[in-house]
Amino acid sequence: MRVTLFGASGLLGQDLVQELKAEQLTALSSKDADLRDHSRVRDVIRDSRPDWILLSAAYTDVDGCELNRDLAFAVNCDGAINVAEAAREAGSRLMFLSTDYVFDGSKRSPYQASDARKPTSVYGESKARAEERLLEIQRGSPTFARDLASALVQLCRASARGIVHVTNAGDCTWYEFATEIVRESGLPTTVQPVTTAEFPRPARRPAYSVLSPDSLHAYNVRMPEWRDALRRYLGSAAALKS
Ligand SMILES: NC(=O)c1ccc[n+]([C@@H]2O[C@H](COP(=O)([O-])OP(=O)(O)OC[C@H]3O[C@@H](n4cnc5c(N)ncnc54)[C@H](OP(=O)(O)O)[C@@H]3O)[C@@H](O)[C@H]2O)c1
């Protein structure tokens, strides 16, 4: 399988590069191709002739997006459209990485891929707009790092179409997550919870952003539980140190 990956230098992109070792991969950072440069994007896609394009590149600084709305839309929406148009011209399939921030977090049950988008931040807005525009051009899919990379490649192999939610299984609060990290690491410290109001940030985050895995399970792809993912992450981090 020939794959062209935008965002190869990012958190997820680096894991995708590992996951795609056996494939014919063209891995691109912003220095290789800026999403905003339509002709450059078209050239790299025409030259690499991919079966699949994985669009992991984005302006992901959620708070920065609040201050730089034009940049957020130029990269996350218009840049994604550049890739989608070039993908259509080249006959390549596109997998677009979206975000749970396209939802407002007011639900108290897991979000379905079909739920209405209601972003509360510029970042979420730019991604939601990209989803809408890309669905008019090609099919895409939203997401989450190492487990995610594995699931994304399974979806490619399963010829996935439409919007697919991918996260580790189960859910927790930031406090529960921090507590579990400290417990698993055996650190002699305790974590004190704070409310969102006590930790103000420029961008509003969804209070509830659990995504239903139904659309992923439809492809027989299962994600491990988040505590299991955390244990494996801490194990690999410890192995790197020793
Ligand atoms: N991490 C999360 O928690 C999370 C959650 C939900 C959704 N997502 C989505 O998942 C995807 C991957 O996220 P991530 O955490 O891996 O992001 P990241 O670590 O911030 O990496 C961003 C990547 O995008 C590239 N990039 C930025 N601006 C670009 C531009 N103008 N043109 C071309 N490339 C550009 C960066 O390249 P340089 O290194 O060259 O700048 C980098 O490779 C994104 O689409 C993000 O919205 C992430």
Side-chain angles (χ1 to χ4, degrees):
M1 181 168 65
R2 276 194 307 275
V3 181
T4 298
L5 167 64
F6 290 89
S9 51
L11 175 75
L12 173 62
Q14 293 179 47
D15 277 327
L16 280 167
V17 168
Q18 292 305 314
E19 201 67 35
L20 289 162
K21 264 184 184 159
E23 312 294 342
Q24 295 173 59
L25 175 65
T26 302
L28 306 163
S29 75
S30 66
K31 290 180 195 71
D32 304 308
D34 192 309
L35 297 188
R36 294 168 292 176
D37 184 341
H38 189 242
S39 59
R40 176 68 187 145
V41 165
R42 186 193 273 155
D43 286 351
V44 292
I45 290 175
R46 198 193 46 217
D47 295 347
S48 54
R49 295 181 298 113
D51 302 305
W52 273 97
I53 297 167
L54 302 188
L55 178 46
S56 183
Y59 178 35
T60 58
D61 177 350
V62 178
D63 297 325
C65 286
E66 294 294 311
L67 304 171
N68 300 292
R69 185 183 176 85
D70 288 351
L71 179 62
F73 273 83
V75 176
N76 295 346
C77 184
D78 299 343
I81 292 165
N82 287 341
V83 175
E85 285 177 347
R88 185 179 50 187
E89 283 169 25
S92 307
R93 302 186 71 186
L94 171 66
M95 186 177 281
F96 167 68
L97 275 290
S98 191
T99 172
D100 47 320
Y101 283 26
V102 299
F103 301 123
D104 68 359
S106 60
K107 263 182 91 174
R108 286 296 172 267
S109 59
Y111 279 94
Q112 303 291 344
S114 55
D115 278 336
R117 305 171 191 94
K118 211 173 168 191
T120 59
S121 62
V122 171
Y123 171 69
E125 242 185 275
S126 64
K127 287 282 195 172
R129 184 74 188 125
E131 278 191 18
E132 286 164 13
R133 295 290 308 278
L134 262 56
L135 284 172
E136 290 164 9
I137 297 170
Q138 267 207 328
R139 302 287 178 178
S141 70
T143 306
F144 236 124
R146 189 175 302 174
D147 288 343
L148 171 58
S150 167
L152 291 182
V153 172
Q154 290 179 65
L155 287 171
C156 291
R157 294 197 172 115
S159 297
R161 289 185 173 275
I163 294 180
V164 181
H165 283 166
V166 191
T167 67
N168 277 112
D171 58 85
C172 61
T173 63
W174 283 110
Y175 166 68
E176 288 165 346
F177 188 43
T179 303
E180 190 66 10
I181 293 170
V182 167
R183 195 187 67 75
E184 275 288 337
S185 311
L187 295 171
T189 187
T190 53
V191 180
Q192 298 297 330
V194 292
T195 63
T196 303
E198 290 168 316
F199 192 65
R201 307 295 302 266
R204 248 181 93 189
R205 268 80 168 168
Y208 185 83
S209 63
V210 182
L211 305 180
S212 165
D214 292 355
S215 51
L216 180 69
H217 292 173
Y219 291 101
N220 286 325
V221 180
R222 303 278 155 172
M223 290 288 278
E225 212 260 340
W226 69 268
R227 284 183 191 79
D228 172 71
L230 175 63
R231 272 191 293 276
R232 284 181 284 117
Y233 169 76
L234 291 173
S236 56
L240 274 179
K241 269 195 210 156
S242 59

